[in-house]
Amino acid sequence: MIRHLLSGADLDAATATQILDTAAEMATVAGREVKKLPALRGRTVVNLFYEDSTRTRISFEAAAKRLSADVINFSAKGSSVTKGESLKDTALTLQAMGADAVVVRHPASGAPHRLADWVDGSVVNAGDGTHEHPTQALLDAYTMRSRLGRLAGLSVAVVGDVLHSRVARSNVLLLSTLGAKVTLVGPPTLIPVDIAAALAPGTAVSYDLDAVLPGVDVVMMLRVQRERMGDSYFPSAREYARRYGLDGPRLRRLPDHAIVMHPGPMNRGMEITPEVADSPRSTIVEQVANGVSVRMAVLYLLLGGNNR
Ligand code: ASP
């Protein structure tokens, strides 16, 4: 098993499949009255969040607690970070506290990689800037596999703000490793020219959502990340929704078995309408539930739970 999970590219097909299979076992715990396993008793997991998060932070916390680890939540707001403490000094503090795993979210792309050089424990990237979010890709893959029965050969459209999306990057890397075919769809301003080829050969690009929909098994909508946009990337929210928003008529262009995904948080009415988000084709709530099982599997495997 790998020591850190920093990128979707850290996972070969066998390791990714092992994580997904372990997550399926972990999911059975969620159905029990007592949702706890003793696997990580006595181990310390630190959640180090320098950027806002709702579901990812709660999900990692629930995952660590269900494995009986001691959990320390460290949020940059209200800590010495606001007094200018560097990531390195924070890392040394965590090291002194004996963290076995550090789950880190940071606005700077690459911060988890730096952290991994400074601590002895495992580092899990919970989202770094516009770079990567590998556990999101794993929970997305898990959701696809449990809904559609396989990953190899699936056709997946990833739609919208690819430029600012760490979810898109990690998904392209992982899905191509697992044999799915990804098409990035969005306005040219939000799909960097060389991204598809740079991430994974075989990744396609389209600027025409309506043309892509009838041929996909999965459509993954991305949040338009306005907080990361300095300039204007499209004429207006209404124009964006008209060209690239998933609404009722577009939903009906999908094959009957196809599912609709979104990593959250959603801009309802922009990239996705409430009708679609709340439809039975949408897996958005399932993705959140699956996130806990997948993060349990990641923590368990990284911390050597299978060797003890
Ligand atoms: N929650 C995801 C992330 O942190 C997706 C998003 O924010 O749009 O990257």
Side-chain angles (χ1 to χ4, degrees):
M1 189 33 75
I2 51 173
R3 173 152 155 240
H4 306 294
L5 179 56
L6 304 174
S7 160
D10 292 341
L11 301 168
D12 58 21
T15 310
T17 305
Q18 185 187 9
I19 294 173
L20 301 182
D21 291 346
T22 307
E25 286 172 38
M26 296 297 176
T28 62
V29 177
R32 295 191 202 154
E33 203 180 330
V34 177
K35 300 181 181 39
K36 231 169 162 73
L37 292 175
L40 297 184
R41 191 183 285 150
R43 318 295 297 274
T44 302
V45 175
V46 178
N47 284 326
L48 184 60
F49 277 66
Y50 289 83
E51 214 185 56
D52 292 340
S53 164
T54 312
R55 72 212 88 224
T56 305
R57 194 179 55 73
I58 294 173
S59 182
F60 270 108
E61 184 172 350
K65 286 184 167 162
R66 283 186 190 174
L67 293 169
S68 308
D70 294 322
V71 182
I72 298 173
N73 287 315
F74 177 106
S75 108
K77 282 188 195 120
S79 74
S80 292
V81 169
T82 51
K83 299 180 190 159
E85 187 172 63
S86 71
L87 181 64
K88 179 153 193 188
D89 289 327
T90 304
L92 297 177
T93 305
L94 300 176
Q95 181 66 16
M97 288 190 312
D100 295 293
V102 181
V103 176
V104 58
R105 168 163 292 192
H106 201 284
S109 299
H113 296 70
R114 298 294 290 143
L115 195 66
D117 291 335
W118 296 323
V119 296
D120 290 337
S122 294
V123 175
V124 182
N125 181 0
D128 63 329
T130 57
H131 184 222
E132 286 224 40
H133 193 357
T135 59
Q136 176 74 44
L138 281 164
L139 76 87
D140 290 336
Y142 181 93
T143 305
M144 289 176 212
R145 197 177 77 160
S146 66
R147 274 280 190 127
L148 301 169
R150 70 195 160 98
L151 288 162
L154 285 186
S155 172
V156 180
V158 176
V159 184
D161 186 0
V162 174
L163 178 63
H164 301 103
S165 179
R166 51 199 180 200
V167 174
R169 275 175 191 71
S170 290
N171 260 293
V172 171
L173 290 167
L174 183 68
L175 287 170
S176 55
T177 299
L178 292 170
K181 160 110 181 92
V182 180
T183 304
L184 300 172
V185 186
T189 47
L190 292 176
I191 302 193
V193 187
D194 46 5
I195 186 174
L199 281 172
T203 306
V205 172
S206 167
Y207 306 120
D208 184 350
L209 180 57
D210 290 314
V212 168
L213 289 176
V216 299
D217 303 296
V218 178
V219 55
M220 182 185 295
M221 304 307 294
L222 301 172
R223 181 172 66 89
V224 177
Q225 305 207 10
R226 284 167 152 164
E227 79 281 14
R228 299 194 201 273
M229 290 186 186
D231 305 306
S232 119
Y233 286 87
F234 43 83
S236 67
R238 179 193 282 212
E239 177 64 11
Y240 182 90
R242 199 179 65 75
R243 293 283 308 274
Y244 295 104
L246 194 60
D247 56 10
R250 288 203 167 110
L251 185 72
R252 290 183 273 283
R253 292 178 71 85
L254 287 167
D256 288 344
H257 69 276
I259 57 171
V260 176
M261 308 181 76
H262 193 301
M266 288 181 271
N267 294 308
R268 283 178 182 255
M270 193 158 179
E271 69 265 2
I272 192 165
T273 61
E275 176 194 357
V276 177
D278 301 328
S279 82
R281 311 282 288 276
S282 149
T283 62
I284 296 166
V285 178
E286 251 166 86
Q287 286 168 263
V288 176
N290 292 338
V292 178
S293 309
V294 163
R295 287 168 178 133
M296 285 173 80
V298 167
L299 291 172
Y300 176 78
L301 293 170
L302 288 185
L303 295 187
N306 54 337
N307 297 326
R308 279 149 38 100

